[in-house]
């Protein structure tokens, strides 16, 4: 069996966005269920596609998966969890406190940070309280993309420190009583995460250098949290002994080189390898194939179909260059190539004479590695949460601290120790970066979909939060939403892959953006084997699988669309990135 061998009750699948965590966690859960175990799969990802992979609508309660006896699944919906959490905190005071006081409490629980706390609260019940999952032999967590997963995993200690040091009754979290009651549950959650007898963490990676770097970073940070029972799962390995096909040779060579050069500590972990599968991993039959790839039928020998394809990126870049300034945002599901597309556009705009800043809000940033050197006219920045928190805290204390007595100052410092502070500080930096588009181009490699939307949603709640601690609002924040909604100022590019889940996720993103009053400028279909020129039978089979997804994007979903083929030469450095602008 290609899947990881599991002995513990709790399993975590984590890794860089788009590496196949959901399909691998589902395949593992299905294999355990078919071996006679009772299994619950839980998604903690705001951009979950667990429903699609398993083929059943899911909610917050365990739902049985049809045709898979013993297998159940649920989604922790952050927005629904936040609503329930907010109501649980506020409801006891309705009819007792004045309406103005109730409104104030509701506002305290309206920020994006509350969404994260509430999701973690749900997660803790499932992991920290054994009675919540007593009906199951195994509980599998399909986690969010790495940066935010690590934030989720570190929250128990962060909130524990905050609760234990709190002396006042007011904070950005609202009444502390609701969290105080959870201290023992959070402590049990931390203990269970770090118990090798109870919990296994599977680091999922593609056989690619960037993905393996991220897996190593995750390994190290989990080890610092005391979580050492880790397994490496290499997903989608394509290997050919010898081929005259340039694409097949390049794909096989890149994978072999990445695995040979992986960090020593990561290479030392137990490892399982899942081979490249050409038809995607949606549905129970596809999941069974992940467990038993040796049962796959040989690929047919037919070649690629000849269909009209969307043009390349060059036309879109020329149009954007004519504006002379503004913001370009690449958005989409993790792992679709947002960083590469953002870097290629930034380089192309700089070469057309623009002053360009390439920036990222992603905790798992690889922009600098993608550029691989300095580009004239192009500067690279990153929104670093730790630095932003330090700067924001110092600014608030300098402005507000001088006029406060010792008691009030202590309460302000208490508020600033809250993890909510990071949300505000990063949001300010995001707004400040967008503001730079007045004088040149800013290309933003954004965070994966779910958290991008939470970040944009935070614009409305931000004013209430900042007024509580500082009493004013930077002009960049005040102008943020109008700028994001202005198609002459902001060009949103939705990046996807020609596969079922990335296209469906991008479609949901487009709907979320519409509700925020933001219309995408274009869609970009990345890494299309259909357009690569490959004649390899297995890769050609994958190319044929891509056809309906390319057609759906080009004909139905996108106002305008560009397509980038899978490239034999890696898109790294100036020459490599130039291949994308055609």
């Amino acid at each position: 069996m290609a899947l990881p061998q599991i002995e513990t009750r709790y399993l975590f699948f984590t890794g860089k966005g788009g590496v196949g965590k959901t399909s691998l966690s589902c395949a593992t859960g299905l294999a355990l269920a078919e071996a006679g175990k009772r299994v619950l799969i839980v998604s903690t990802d705001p951009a979950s596609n667990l429903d699609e992979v398993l083929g059943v609508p899911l909610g917050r309660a365990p739902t049985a998966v049809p045709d898979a006896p013993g297998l159940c699944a649920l989604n922790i919906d952050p927005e629904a969890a936040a609503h329930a959490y907010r109501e649980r905190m506020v409801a006891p005071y309705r009819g007792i406190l004045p309406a103005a006081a109730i409104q104030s409490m509701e506002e305290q629980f309206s920020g994006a940070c509350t969404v994260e706390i509430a999701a973690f609260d749900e997660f803790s019940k499932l992991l920290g309280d054994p009675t919540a999952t007593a009906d199951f032999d195994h509980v599998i967590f399909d986690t969010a993309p790495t940066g935010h997963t690590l934030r989720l995993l570190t929250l128990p200690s962060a909130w524990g420190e905050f609760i234990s040091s709190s002396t006042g009754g007011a904070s950005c979290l609202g009444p502390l009583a609701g969290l105080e009651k959870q201290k023992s549950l959070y402590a049990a959650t931390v203990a269970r995460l770090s118990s090798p007898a109870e919990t296994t963490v599977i680091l999922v990676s593609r056989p690619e250098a960037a993905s393996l770097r991220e897996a190593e970073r995750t390994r190290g940070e989990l080890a610092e949290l005391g979580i050492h029972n880790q397994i490496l799962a290499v997903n989608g390995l394509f290997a050919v002994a010898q081929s005259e096909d340039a694409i097949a040779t390049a794909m096989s060579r890149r994978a072999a080189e990445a695995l040979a050069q992986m960090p020593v500590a990561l290479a030392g972990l137990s490892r399982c390898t899942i081979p490249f599968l050409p038809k995607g991993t949606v549905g129970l039959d596809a999941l069974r194939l992940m467990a038993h790839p040796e049962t796959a039928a040989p690929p047919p020998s037919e070649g690629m179909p000849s269909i009209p394809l969307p043009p390349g990126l060059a036309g879109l870049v020329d149009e954007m260059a004519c504006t002379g300034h503004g913001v370009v945002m690449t958005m989409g599901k993790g792992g679709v190539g947002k960083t590469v597309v953002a870097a290629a556009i930034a380089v192309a705009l700089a070469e057309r004479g623009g002053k360009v800043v390439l920036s990222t809000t992603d905790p798992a940033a690889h922009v600098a590695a993608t550029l691989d050197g300095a580009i004239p006219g192009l500067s690279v920045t990153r929104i670093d949460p730790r630095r932003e928190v330090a700067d924001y805290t110092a600014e608030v204390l300098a402005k507000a601290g001088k006029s406060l007595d010792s008691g009030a100052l202590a309460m302000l410092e208490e508020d600033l120790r809250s993890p909510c502070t990071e949300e505000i500080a990063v949001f300010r930096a995001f707004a400040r970066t967008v503001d730079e588009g007045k004088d040149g181009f800013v290309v933003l490699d954004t965070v994966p979909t779910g958290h991008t939307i939470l970040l944009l949603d935070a614009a409305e709640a931000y004013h209430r939060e900042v007024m509580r601690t500082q009493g004013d609002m930077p002009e960049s924040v005040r102008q943020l939403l109008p700028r994001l909604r202005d198609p002459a100022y902001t060009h949103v590019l939705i990046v996807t892959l020609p596969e079922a889940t990335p296209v469906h996720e991008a479609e949901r993103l487009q709907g979320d953006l519409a509700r925020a009053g933001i219309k995408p400028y274009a869609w970009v279909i990345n890494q299309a084997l259909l357009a690569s020129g490959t004649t390899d039978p297995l890769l050609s089979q994958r190319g044929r699988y891509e056809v309906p997804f390319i057609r759906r994007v080009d004909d139905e979903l996108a106002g305008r669309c560009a397509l980038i083929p899978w490239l034999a030469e890696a898109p790294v450095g100036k020459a490599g990135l130039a291949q994308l602008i055609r």
Side-chain angles (χ1 to χ4, degrees), residues 206-212 234 236-240 246-262 340 526-527 529 532 565-572 576 579-580:
R206 295 287 185 185
E208 301 164 356
S211 184
L212 289 165
V234 178
L237 178 64
F238 179 83
V240 292
I247 300 297
T249 300
M251 189 178 290
S252 182
R253 184 189 70 249
R254 281 191 219 168
E257 290 174 352
L259 292 173
Q261 296 168 12
M262 82 166 75
V340 169
N526 195 24
Q527 297 179 8
L529 279 166
S532 69
W566 203 98
L567 300 166
E569 182 184 345
V572 175
Q579 301 173 93
L580 277 67

Side-chain angles (χ1 to χ4, degrees), residues 95-269:
I96 298 174
L97 295 180
I102 295 297
Q103 182 180 355
S104 176
M105 290 178 66
E106 289 176 337
E107 287 180 350
Q108 286 181 315
F109 287 104
S110 64
C113 191
T114 298
V115 175
E116 191 162 2
I117 298 166
F120 178 75
D121 193 54
E122 295 290 310
F123 160 83
S124 293
K125 292 173 188 174
L126 294 170
L127 186 63
D129 180 5
T131 63
T133 56
D135 294 337
F136 300 97
D137 301 308
H138 294 281
V139 183
I140 298 175
F141 291 92
D142 168 31
T143 61
T146 304
H148 289 281
T149 296
L150 292 173
R151 179 173 166 82
L152 188 71
L153 295 179
T154 56
L155 273 174
S157 14
W159 290 121
E161 291 168 9
F162 180 54
I163 294 168
S164 64
S165 65
S166 293
T167 56
S171 75
C172 63
L173 305 178
L176 284 173
L179 291 179
E180 181 69 28
K181 295 174 184 176
Q182 304 293 75
K183 285 176 66 175
S184 60
L185 178 63
Y186 292 171
T189 301
V190 175
R192 192 147 286 122
L193 281 170
S194 56
S195 169
E198 296 180 279
T199 301
T200 303
V201 175
I202 296 93
L203 305 175
V204 187
S205 175
R206 295 287 185 185
E208 301 164 356
S211 184
L212 289 165
R213 280 199 304 271
E214 182 62 22
E216 166 59 16
R217 188 180 73 85
T218 305
R219 182 208 61 76
E221 294 195 17
L222 290 174
E224 289 178 3
L225 292 169
I227 302 170
H228 299 284
N229 190 15
Q230 302 180 37
I231 294 173
L232 175 63
V234 178
N235 188 27
L237 178 64
F238 179 83
V240 292
Q242 187 174 1
S243 175
E244 295 181 0
D245 185 87
I247 300 297
T249 300
M251 189 178 290
S252 182
R253 184 189 70 249
R254 281 191 219 168
E257 290 174 352
L259 292 173
Q261 296 168 12
M262 82 166 75
V264 174
L266 190 66
L269 296 179

